[in-house]
Amino acid sequence: MTSKQVVIIGAGPVGLCLALSLTQSGVPVTVIETLNDSNFLDQVPRAGTNHPATLEMFDRIGLYEKIEARGFRAPLFHYWDRGGPKLLAEFDHALLRDDTKFPYVLQCERIKICEEALALARREPLCTVMMDTTFVSFTQDANGVVAVAKTADGDEVRVEGAYIVSAEGARSIVRRDLDIDFEGFTYPDRTLNIEVVHDFRQYGFADRNYISDPDEWSNLFRWAGPPERWRVHFPTDPNDDPNEVTKLEALNARLQAFMPKSGPYDIRGSNLYTVHQRVAARFRKGRALLVGDSAHVNSPIGGMGMNSGIHDAFNLADKLVSILNNHENDIVLDRYDRQRRKIAVDHTQAQTIRNKRLLQEKDPAVRQKNQDDLKRTAADPKLARQFLLRTSLLQSVRDAAEIQ
């Protein structure tokens, strides 16, 4: 092996958490990121929910206290029926106080996590961050890997390492070059996200809400800001014209239909996106590995995408440290593949598909059964705790550890 270094493609929260976990354990890394410092911090806000299992991991690398100061704790979440609206069930993470030191969700946007993690990474002596540098390709052999990238000036750079990790997102060049299938499907309908400054707590909503309706389900989440705002998700018809759907008057009309009020809503932004449910056929091929959206993508309902990607990073970091510091056989990376791929399929994919189906169910009898099940679960502390262990992703981490 010519180098102990790990080359990480992508400086999102997954790539940066991997970098911090490795460098703090004595493994040098180079992170290659296409965006420059300016547009890196000017990305579209998304992924604001950080589950208890993820907070435990942030705490390991000194990131938790940084983002805790920029978000807020949200111990409660609600399920609603839009007709009314009618509260169906309330779940309180306080039931997990014996399971974790973080019995709550932390609402803090992805971009804030990136900003704080990048600042920490730049203070690590073993971490090199190459911003404004576009990853092009890589080669690997029995001794290591070589990543090829181009700077903003067009100069070619070559970075050697022991391993390369793709944290570059759903359009992963590494995954493409490895010819790994991205198995799954794409929903025909697109999801509309509206950011609005309006305090929905006045209607009884919690900071996180899942609202079922056979015609137009929605999600409703409070974000810290500034300014403090709410994100509201709605489904759209596949045949809708995106330009029409995102016009200010159309957005206002949709919000007024959801919760009527006098005067227009203070809308701060919107975007329309396609939802995929896909998992890579394998997460490892030789010295190349996939984490986060490079390995799996899913519906945002439940806030599991970024969180499960971060769990990939910490799982992989522990194994790379054992190889590079303790000379363990790199066959342990096959265990990373088995563990995290099974969790992606059996937990993340299954749960997010189930979440969407629950919210959009049209059959009245099935809808009633779903609502009765939610009420019964929320009313029973034992059942509610088991439910929260799954939604908090604590159970998925435990299950992954059992996979040999």
Side-chain angles (χ1 to χ4, degrees):
M1 188 181 297
T2 59
S3 172
K4 182 182 175 181
Q5 177 170 245
V6 175
V7 183
I8 301 171
I9 312 302
V14 176
L16 289 171
C17 282
L18 176 61
L20 287 167
S21 188
L22 289 172
T23 55
Q24 290 175 9
S25 298
V27 175
V29 306
T30 291
V31 181
I32 300 174
E33 169 57 48
T34 301
L35 299 177
N36 60 36
D37 280 78
S38 177
N39 52 32
F40 180 76
L41 297 177
D42 193 32
Q43 300 176 60
V44 174
R46 55 193 172 97
T49 295
N50 301 275
H51 290 296
T54 309
L55 301 181
E56 292 180 354
M57 297 176 189
F58 287 157
D59 199 37
R60 281 175 50 184
I61 56 174
L63 183 57
Y64 173 76
E65 63 180 16
K66 302 293 185 182
I67 64 171
E68 200 268 348
R70 301 187 64 181
F72 63 88
R73 299 179 182 186
L76 304 178
F77 67 97
H78 287 171
Y79 284 91
W80 293 77
D81 185 301
R82 179 163 168 173
K86 178 175 65 177
L87 177 62
L88 300 174
E90 177 179 273
F91 289 93
D92 188 345
H93 283 81
L95 290 173
L96 300 179
R97 57 185 171 270
D98 294 329
D99 297 282
T100 177
K101 66 181 287 189
F102 302 103
Y104 48 83
V105 157
L106 184 73
Q107 289 294 100
C108 182
E109 300 94 309
R110 174 187 182 277
I111 191 56
K112 294 178 182 177
I113 297 168
C114 289
E115 183 179 4
E116 296 296 343
L118 180 60
L120 288 177
R122 282 176 160 159
R123 290 199 288 270
E124 289 289 335
L126 294 178
C127 186
T128 300
V129 181
M130 301 174 65
M131 302 294 287
D132 207 8
T133 304
T134 301
F135 171 66
V136 177
S137 63
F138 80 102
T139 56
Q140 62 172 318
D141 59 26
N143 295 315
V145 302
V146 178
V148 179
K150 285 190 175 182
T151 67
D153 295 329
D155 296 330
E156 182 179 282
V157 292
R158 298 167 67 85
V159 183
E160 293 187 359
Y163 296 94
I164 186 169
V165 181
S166 170
E168 56 194 310
R171 295 183 176 88
S172 168
I173 294 172
V174 171
R175 191 189 65 241
R176 182 201 66 194
D177 288 355
L178 292 172
D179 197 25
I180 295 175
D181 289 338
F182 209 23
E183 301 169 345
F185 64 92
T186 299
Y187 286 109
D189 56 324
R190 291 164 297 186
T191 298
L192 174 66
N193 168 62
I194 306 175
E195 294 189 25
V196 57
V197 177
H198 182 75
D199 192 355
F200 286 92
R201 288 174 297 181
Q202 63 185 293
Y203 311 114
F205 289 110
D207 295 319
R208 301 172 57 232
N209 306 270
Y210 302 100
I211 304 163
S212 65
D213 187 83
D215 298 318
E216 191 178 64
W217 56 268
S218 58
N219 298 322
L220 179 65
F221 299 93
R222 183 165 72 97
W223 277 23
E228 181 179 288
R229 62 200 188 281
W230 293 70
R231 285 168 61 90
V232 194
H233 293 160
F234 297 105
T236 64
D237 189 286
N239 299 315
D240 285 345
D241 181 345
N243 294 322
E244 293 298 321
V245 169
T246 54
K247 283 183 177 179
L248 185 59
E249 56 267 30
L251 299 175
N252 251 306
R254 199 176 290 258
L255 287 170
Q256 290 285 0
F258 170 69
M259 188 61 63
K261 66 179 285 291
S262 60
Y265 276 89
D266 181 3
I267 296 171
R268 296 303 177 93
S270 70
N271 61 296
L272 194 63
Y273 58 90
T274 301
V275 176
H276 306 275
Q277 296 280 172
R278 297 186 180 276
V279 180
R282 56 195 298 187
F283 288 11
R284 179 206 181 186
K285 197 168 184 179
R287 294 181 173 274
L289 300 116
L290 310 177
V291 294
D293 286 357
S294 296
H296 48 83
V297 292
N298 54 265
S299 162
I301 301 174
M304 295 187 174
M306 179 183 70
N307 286 264
S308 59
I310 289 167
H311 298 184
D312 295 343
F314 279 86
N315 184 301
L316 178 59
D318 289 344
K319 293 173 173 60
L320 288 172
V321 168
S322 72
I323 295 165
L324 297 170
N325 283 354
N326 304 324
H327 308 292
E328 188 169 346
N329 191 301
D330 77 353
I331 198 171
V332 299
L333 295 177
D334 288 338
R335 189 176 178 219
Y336 163 75
D337 188 349
R338 290 192 297 273
Q339 288 177 328
R340 294 308 304 167
R341 190 175 189 283
K342 184 170 178 58
I343 293 302
V345 173
D346 292 353
H347 280 259
T348 309
Q349 294 291 311
Q351 184 68 45
T352 53
I353 290 171
R354 188 162 52 245
N355 288 344
K356 189 171 189 295
R357 186 178 299 132
L358 174 72
L359 296 187
Q360 68 182 18
E361 181 59 57
K362 295 183 179 298
D363 185 305
V366 176
R367 279 175 55 78
Q368 188 61 56
K369 181 181 182 304
N370 290 341
Q371 294 181 3
D372 291 343
D373 288 344
L374 277 172
K375 292 175 184 177
R376 183 175 64 255
T377 300
D380 184 326
K382 184 176 180 180
L383 292 177
R385 175 178 167 271
Q386 292 301 319
F387 183 85
L388 285 162
L389 283 172
R390 293 195 302 274
T391 60
S392 69
L393 303 186
L394 290 167
Q395 190 63 53
S396 73
V397 174
R398 296 175 183 180
D399 289 351
E402 296 298 318
I403 300 170
Q404 298 303 312

